[in-house]
Amino acid sequence: CVSDCFFCAGDSNKWKGGEDVVLCALVNEFGGGAWNVASSALSAARSIDNVHRAPIACKDRFRRLLATHGRALGGVDAGGVGAAPGTLRVTPELTRALLRKVARESLGPGPGPGPGPGPGPRRGPPLPRDASPTLYIEGVPHDATVREIAHIFRPFDGFQSTRLVKKENVRGPLCFAEFAGADLAFAALNTLQGYVLDRDDPKSPALRIVFAKSKGRVPPGKGGPGGGG
């Protein structure tokens, strides 16, 4: 298949479903200028596997996804001079439909009623008992901004906001990301665990992401000296 389940094992160079979700979300937000942004985001997320996604590879991957799913999603031929046979016209509506398609395939359907007898079984690990809509992120440098952190989480469905709280005697700021639901936060947690903020800096820390125990509170034992009440 075109898209491997994000949670399945296999060749580390294969594209995973979570990567497809991020790629389509960035194309949805930035259009044809998404390739460099997608390369940076996906390469950082896969750095733990020593996998680099070049801009041209991101562009080719999106074209493959579009060729596989686009016509079934209502895509129409591009037509015009120079258009290859079978090439689909990329529209905002088609891009959003493709994003929803790959998100359902890789992350499973969200909660709530849907068409037919109801949503199918969720793919990937079950939602942890301590799951919440709020994520606590460790490894954020002192000079990070809310905008920089929000840029990392914005491609994920249900993202609402980020918050940085700077305290003395704590290694780095306390950082939180809010989502519309615990399942949406879980998808972002699984995809971004180990994300390296600066791949060009060998000392750049990898993000460590857990569920906050309650909105805006640091999980017990987190936050370094001084706690995080």
Side-chain angles (χ1 to χ4, degrees):
C1 65
V2 170
S3 176
D4 299 315
C5 172
F6 179 77
F7 302 105
C8 69
D11 185 353
S12 63
N13 286 311
K14 287 184 177 179
W15 283 76
K16 298 182 178 181
E19 292 181 281
D20 289 337
V21 175
V22 174
L23 174 61
C24 291
L26 290 172
V27 175
N28 183 53
E29 181 173 353
F30 296 103
W35 314 124
N36 287 331
V37 177
S39 173
S40 176
L42 294 174
S43 295
R46 294 298 306 278
S47 61
I48 192 172
D49 299 320
N50 198 30
V51 172
H52 175 68
R53 301 298 188 200
I56 187 63
C58 295
K59 186 175 183 178
D60 288 344
R61 179 63 176 181
F62 182 77
R63 285 177 173 174
R64 285 190 61 194
L65 291 169
L66 196 63
T68 301
H69 304 296
R71 202 169 298 280
L73 296 173
V76 297
D77 290 332
V81 178
T87 302
L88 299 181
R89 181 181 298 121
V90 181
T91 64
E93 294 76 17
L94 181 56
T95 302
R96 285 194 292 270
L98 183 60
L99 171 58
R100 291 192 293 269
K101 171 73 173 176
V102 298
R104 285 195 300 269
E105 288 190 349
S106 63
L107 304 176
R122 181 186 179 90
R123 298 180 66 180
L127 197 65
R129 294 181 61 184
D130 65 344
S132 76
T134 306
L135 298 178
Y136 172 66
I137 303 100
E138 290 186 309
V140 177
H142 276 287
D143 58 353
T145 66
V146 170
R147 183 176 182 179
E148 289 172 337
I149 302 302
H151 183 73
I152 297 172
F153 287 92
R154 187 173 293 114
F156 292 89
D157 190 26
F159 170 73
Q160 295 181 331
S161 65
T162 54
R163 187 160 58 93
L164 293 176
V165 180
K166 297 187 177 182
K167 291 188 174 184
E168 295 182 1
N169 301 322
V170 176
R171 293 180 299 173
L174 306 180
C175 180
F176 302 91
E178 300 285 347
F179 284 81
D183 59 329
L184 301 172
F186 187 43
L189 182 155
N190 276 296
T191 305
L192 292 175
Q193 194 70 262
Y195 183 98
V196 178
L197 291 173
D198 186 355
R199 297 184 74 249
D200 296 326
D201 181 2
K203 296 183 179 180
S204 181
L207 297 184
R208 297 174 298 280
I209 308 173
V210 297
F211 290 111
K213 295 303 179 182
S214 61
K215 186 174 181 179
R217 292 188 63 85
V218 179
K222 302 293 183 181

